[in-house]
Amino acid sequence: MRSSHCCYGQAMTTNAPRVAKDQVVAIRYTLTSQSGEILDQSGDSPLAYLHGYDNIVPGLERQLEGKAPGDKLRAVVTPAEGYGERDPAGSQRVPREAFPADIHIEEGMQFAAQSPDGRMIPMWVTEVEESAIVVDLNHPLAGETLIFDVEVVALRAASTEELSHGHVHEHGSHHHH
């Protein structure tokens, strides 16, 4: 029996767009730990990001390169290609007065401080004391091997504005920087 839909032994070619730098990529994903705990997921709305601009962890971005809409993959991302190794020196006690007085601070909150050279440094609250806040400069997932189950949902060329800003703009909106 011959099938007109089959091409055994022959490479199929496709002109489908592929994930590459300067593409806006929409993905659905579930992020789990090595123990299987769900750490994050895209939910009903896909995550759209600008490929090649460090908007997602490097290991996932690298593994998505060349994929097409409809492709699914399991991406295992080491700490070195994820949120880095955990630095024990990243935990610091900061006087309570360094934080805005009108904010109720809780464990898990994220703040940013400005370094002397103007860079923004993210930090996460790990402990709240009466006179000090203990923050960690390590991302909460630093030191973790990350497992992403991903589906590429859609691709499109980025706009000139998105390329100049280095991230995706939602349809119909404009962000000033």
Side-chain angles (χ1 to χ4, degrees):
M1 174 180 215
R2 298 184 85 193
S3 170
S4 61
H5 303 300
C6 184
C7 53
Y8 293 110
Q10 297 176 16
M12 293 186 68
T13 59
T14 176
N15 292 331
R18 300 283 176 179
V19 173
K21 185 172 169 76
D22 300 341
Q23 292 281 328
V24 172
V25 182
I27 59 173
R28 282 197 177 87
Y29 71 92
T30 299
L31 169 60
T32 56
S33 66
Q34 286 187 291
S35 67
E37 176 188 358
I38 294 177
L39 302 173
D40 192 18
Q41 54 191 9
S42 56
D44 293 335
S45 299
L47 168 71
Y49 75 94
L50 182 56
H51 194 80
Y53 290 80
D54 299 324
N55 290 306
I56 62 173
V57 294
L60 178 58
E61 188 169 59
R62 181 181 53 74
Q63 292 181 55
L64 285 167
E65 186 82 22
K67 301 296 186 219
D71 285 352
K72 295 180 180 183
L73 72 142
R74 172 165 276 199
V76 177
V77 178
T78 63
E81 289 194 299
Y83 292 102
E85 296 294 344
R86 181 158 289 285
D87 179 358
S91 184
Q92 301 177 7
R93 293 181 83 239
V94 178
R96 177 63 178 94
E97 302 82 47
F99 291 84
D102 61 336
I103 294 179
H104 175 73
I105 299 174
E106 298 177 359
E107 286 183 28
M109 291 178 82
Q110 182 181 358
F111 288 90
Q114 192 167 2
S115 70
D117 66 1
R119 289 181 304 117
M120 295 307 287
I121 302 171
M123 61 184 73
W124 290 265
V125 175
T126 59
E127 194 175 333
V128 178
E129 300 173 353
E130 190 173 321
S131 62
I133 306 297
V134 180
V135 296
D136 194 340
L137 302 179
N138 293 294
H139 187 280
L141 295 176
E144 299 283 333
T145 295
L146 308 172
I147 301 167
F148 290 90
D149 288 300
V150 183
E151 177 184 7
V152 178
V153 177
L155 293 176
R156 69 170 172 81
S159 70
T160 302
E161 183 179 37
E162 289 169 325
L163 293 173
S164 70
H165 290 173
H167 61 253
V168 173
H169 291 174
E170 293 181 32
H171 181 69
S173 68
H174 177 78
H175 302 276
H176 293 279
H177 297 275

